[in-house]
Amino acid sequence: MLVLMETWESIRDFVGTGGQVLYVVAIALFIMWVLMIERYWFLLAEYPKMKADIVAKWDARQDTTSWYAHRIRDAWISEASEKLDERMLIIKTLVAMCPLIGLLGTVTGMISVFETMATQGTGNARLMASGISMATVPTMAGMVAALSGVFFSTRLEARAKMAKEQLIDSLPHH
C-alpha cells in the first residue's frame, strides 16, 4: 500500500512539473497500448483459428483452379487482411499524435514563462524555471510515448504482413 501511495505521489509530482498536458499524453498512450495489446492478442490467439478455418474451407473445395474459385480465394484473403489491419491506422495516428501533444505542452509552458516575465520581470529565475520545466517535460513524455509506440506498431505491422503472406501461401491455386 505504501509503494502504491509513493508511486501515485511521484506521478502527481511529475504531472505538477509538466502540467495538465501530461494527462492528455497519458490518455493517448493508454489507448494506444490497449489497442496494441488487443492486436497482439488477435495475432496470437484469434487469427490462427481464422486461418485454419479458411485453409480448411479451401482444402475442402474440389474446384481450386477456376476463375470463380480464385475470386473466392481472393475474397477470403481480403477478409483476413482486413481483420489483420484493423485498428492499425488508429494506432499509427496515436503514435504520431503523442509528440504533437507534447509540443502543445511546450507551447503552454512557454506561455507560462512569458506570462511570468511580463508580470514579475526577468529577475525571478525560480518562477521562470517552473515554466521552462512545464515546457520541456511534456515534450519528453510525448517523445517517449511515441518511441514505444513506433517500435511496437512496426512489429505489429510486420507480423500482420507475414501472417497475410503465410495465408496466401497456404491457399495454393493452380
Side-chain angles (χ1 to χ4, degrees), residues 42 46-55 76 79-81 83 167:
F42 177 78
E46 300 298 320
Y47 179 73
K49 297 174 197 170
M50 182 181 179
K51 178 184 172 190
D53 184 45
I54 292 171
V55 170
W76 288 342
E79 286 175 18
S81 179
K83 289 282 188 186
L167 176 63

Side-chain angles (χ1 to χ4, degrees), residues 6 43-44 46 52 64 68 88 117 145:
E6 288 175 0
L43 279 168
L44 297 174
E46 300 298 320
T64 59
Y68 184 70
M88 285 306 296
M117 288 171 62

Side-chain angles (χ1 to χ4, degrees), residues 6-23:
E6 288 175 0
T7 303
W8 181 250
E9 191 172 316
S10 296
I11 291 171
R12 210 173 48 219
D13 291 343
F14 185 69
V15 170
T17 303
Q20 300 297 318
V21 174
L22 288 179
Y23 287 122

